[in-house]
Amino acid sequence: DVKVTQSSRYLVKRTGEKVFLECVQDMDHENMFWYRQDPGLGLRLIYFSYDVKMKEKGDIPEGYSVSREKKERFSLILESASTNQTSMYLCASSPGSSTNEKLFFGSGTQLSVL
Amino acid sequence: GDSVTQMEGPVTLSEEAFLTINCTYTATGYPSLFWYVQYPGEGLQLLLKATKADDKGSNKGFEATYRKETTSFHLEKGSVQVSDSAVYFCALRDKIIFGKGTRLHILP
């Protein structure tokens, strides 16, 4: 089975800190995604990547950046954390570019910014 | 732009009741349509999908039919169980767009 692993289940940070959320997938998937999940807003796409060192903005990229130096790892970076970035962050991956493919999700990181 | 609209929750039903969660979409072309489920404390996992008009996706007693004429992909189950309590997301794949999710509570 595909496994998508997010490094932390819960994280508490202070306003202004630089925060790294890590995601690793073990099935050589081409595509990786970062979403945030908020009550009443569902999932919103932050950034995605279709290849190593490649990144594309999603719907809400402001305040975030990403890094994909290796195929299996996709990092989400909060340059200067703010309280409105308190959220559940979900990483996902998929094998290739077909629109029929499903996404495989990690268990999520609940980030609290104080 | 492309979008997905699903019914607001929470939805509360008794065990063995019939379930419908409505989902409609707006998109150019004919995107693949998906239902994902999120159980408490977990990430999302695929429940079922349909890739073209009139396709029916099914899994674990759930069904959804891709209706091009009504741009809908409603999720149905004939007899729900307590273990079906979760949040359900409708999604279209062209631009990886999710609905806002519908929380389902099943009472024993």
Side-chain angles (χ1 to χ4, degrees):
Chain A
D1 277 354
V2 175
K3 194 167 183 184
V4 179
T5 304
Q6 295 183 228
S7 53
S8 304
R9 185 73 179 92
Y10 299 97
L11 210 52
V12 179
K13 296 292 181 182
R14 298 220 174 264
T15 301
E17 280 193 73
K18 190 169 185 176
V19 181
F20 293 85
L21 302 182
E22 304 289 345
C23 176
V24 177
Q25 50 91 6
D26 65 359
M27 282 300 289
D28 203 36
H29 282 180
E30 301 289 331
N31 309 322
M32 297 189 75
F33 309 84
W34 273 107
Y35 293 88
R36 62 177 284 176
Q37 181 180 10
D38 300 288
L41 297 177
L43 272 71
R44 293 179 291 168
L45 182 63
I46 305 171
Y47 267 97
F48 60 101
S49 169
Y50 285 151
D51 201 354
V52 175
K53 296 188 185 293
M54 177 272 181
K55 60 186 179 185
E56 292 284 345
K57 293 180 179 179
D59 298 321
I60 50 164
E62 296 78 19
Y64 302 95
S65 62
V66 289
S67 172
R68 194 164 181 204
E69 295 296 318
K70 295 184 178 180
K71 193 174 186 180
E72 67 271 18
R73 186 181 296 272
F74 192 37
S75 303
L76 180 69
I77 304 157
L78 286 66
E79 297 290 343
S80 177
S82 63
T83 54
N84 63 12
Q85 291 178 310
T86 291
S87 185
M88 171 67 80
Y89 290 87
L90 292 170
C91 176
S93 71
S94 69
S97 60
S98 168
T99 58
N100 295 339
E101 293 172 345
K102 69 177 185 180
L103 300 179
F104 294 83
F105 282 86
S107 297
T109 297
Q110 179 63 53
L111 172 67
S112 298
V113 181
L114 306 178
Chain B
D2 294 1
S3 66
V4 173
T5 303
Q6 62 182 104
M7 64 190 292
E8 299 270 336
V11 173
T12 302
L13 296 172
S14 297
E15 206 167 18
E16 299 183 4
F18 184 87
L19 169 71
T20 301
I21 300 178
N22 290 339
C23 171
T24 58
Y25 67 91
T26 302
T28 54
Y30 304 105
S32 298
L33 300 174
F34 299 79
W35 277 100
Y36 284 83
V37 59
Q38 184 180 33
Y39 297 104
E42 299 183 13
L44 278 71
Q45 55 186 275
L46 180 69
L47 180 60
L48 54 84
K49 72 176 185 181
T51 58
K52 61 183 188 295
D54 299 325
D55 264 4
K56 178 186 283 189
S58 61
N59 186 24
K60 299 182 181 179
F62 290 90
E63 292 183 341
T65 301
Y66 191 159
R67 302 281 188 203
K68 188 177 67 173
E69 63 276 11
T70 54
T71 60
S72 65
F73 193 54
H74 304 321
L75 183 68
E76 296 181 336
K77 186 173 185 181
S79 176
V80 292
Q81 306 299 314
V82 172
S83 57
D84 295 327
S85 298
V87 182
Y88 292 82
F89 292 90
C90 183
L92 65 88
R93 182 68 175 93
D94 268 5
K95 294 194 177 78
I96 321 154
I97 297 171
F98 285 84
K100 293 183 179 180
T102 303
R103 185 174 297 278
L104 175 65
H105 295 292
I106 306 299
L107 304 175

